[in-house]
Amino acid sequence: GAGVSQSPRYKVAKRGQDVALRCDPISGHVSLFWYQQALGQGPEFLTYFQNEAQLDKSGLPSDRFFAERPEGSVSTLKIQRTQQEDSAVYLCASSLAKGVFRVEYFGPGTRLTVT
Amino acid sequence: AQKITQTQPGMFVQEKEAVTLDCTYDTSDPSYGLFWYKQPSSGEMIFLIYQGSYDQQNATEGRYSLNFQKARKSANLVISASQLGDSAMYFCAMREGGGTYKYIFGTGTRLKVLA
């Protein structure tokens, strides 16, 4: 069975470039999360979708970060005018439904390096 | 205040022995879930085990068990019969009821299994 997939796996961007990171959740999973994981740290929440609705974007670090999930399946995280502090692994996770006791399944992540 | 605390940055264990990875949490919400993930060097977050706040018994999944002590607010992961492939980062995470249900992660423990 297919798990969560993310592309690209690695991205090198020059400072100031825009990047787009893609997430394909597990089919049928309603909830989708994006996390940012800095080197040596635990993942930190960025944003959450339930179907196509972005219900929480409180973790997005600046207005340069934008996420969408227009048809309630694939999601894209876009970072405009990248900065060096954006270098991190970006993890996408999905779960079957919203709820305290639901397990999230993670993709392999996209490692972004801004030079 | 830290919501999830993992006080062991690194741990060593001999192959075939058991090891306990510590996790304490802080919440006033009566509904919450506690989760453990393994992150090998490849970067993917692999779900291991889950405990709900209302569960009466400690969760077990194969060689993994969760020592849940609600009054002490601890949710330690026990790995029995350690294998070389268990060498990885281990993250404890909590999800509280209400709102987004996003994960809050600890800083992780790096486990090294010795042959």
Side-chain angles (χ1 to χ4, degrees):
Chain A
V4 179
S5 61
Q6 292 185 246
S7 60
R9 290 293 315 276
Y10 303 91
K11 177 71 178 178
V12 179
K14 291 187 177 178
R15 190 165 62 92
Q17 280 186 331
D18 297 349
V19 298
L21 313 180
R22 177 188 168 106
C23 171
D24 282 86
I26 294 172
S27 177
H29 277 198
V30 167
S31 296
L32 186 146
F33 298 80
W34 283 98
Y35 292 86
Q36 180 189 60
Q37 186 176 21
L39 190 63
Q41 301 295 316
E44 293 196 357
F45 170 79
L46 292 176
T47 187
Y48 163 67
F49 290 86
Q50 185 174 336
N51 294 307
E52 69 278 3
Q54 188 176 22
L55 298 186
D56 188 342
K57 53 182 181 179
S58 63
L60 296 176
S62 77
D63 58 8
R64 296 186 295 104
F65 286 71
F66 171 77
E68 60 183 4
R69 193 186 185 197
E71 297 178 357
S73 55
V74 171
S75 176
T76 303
L77 176 67
K78 297 179 179 178
I79 308 173
Q80 297 176 325
R81 304 181 304 281
T82 52
Q83 303 294 316
Q84 284 195 317
E85 61 263 28
D86 300 335
S87 295
V89 175
Y90 291 86
L91 294 164
C92 175
S94 70
S95 66
L96 190 57
K98 179 181 178 181
V100 177
F101 307 120
R102 293 290 183 183
V103 176
E104 291 179 29
Y105 295 94
F106 283 80
T110 295
R111 182 177 297 276
L112 173 65
T113 303
V114 181
T115 61
Chain B
Q2 291 287 338
K3 289 260 188 180
I4 292 284
T5 302
Q6 294 181 256
T7 57
Q8 307 153 314
M11 290 278 288
F12 291 94
V13 64
Q14 208 65 37
E15 195 178 9
K16 299 181 185 177
E17 291 186 348
V19 63
T20 298
L21 306 183
D22 294 342
C23 173
T24 57
Y25 61 92
D26 183 25
T27 182
S28 56
D29 196 319
S31 295
Y32 55 90
L34 297 157
F35 305 79
W36 277 92
Y37 284 82
K38 172 184 178 181
Q39 189 175 46
S41 55
S42 59
E44 188 166 359
M45 297 284 282
I46 301 168
F47 168 70
L48 295 177
I49 196 167
Y50 149 81
Q51 181 89 40
S53 57
Y54 300 116
D55 294 341
Q56 296 296 313
Q57 292 187 322
N58 287 344
T60 60
E61 288 286 348
R63 295 186 299 110
Y64 304 108
S65 61
L66 202 154
N67 184 1
F68 181 45
Q69 298 188 42
K70 197 168 182 177
R72 296 180 60 185
K73 295 189 173 179
S74 74
N76 299 339
L77 175 70
V78 181
I79 306 174
S80 63
S82 296
Q83 302 171 356
L84 295 178
D86 294 334
S87 295
M89 281 290 286
Y90 288 81
F91 289 97
C92 178
M94 176 176 68
R95 179 188 284 127
E96 296 169 301
T100 300
Y101 305 114
K102 63 192 178 195
Y103 276 160
I104 302 167
F105 283 90
T107 52
T109 295
R110 181 171 297 281
L111 177 67
K112 175 70 173 177
V113 180
L114 304 173

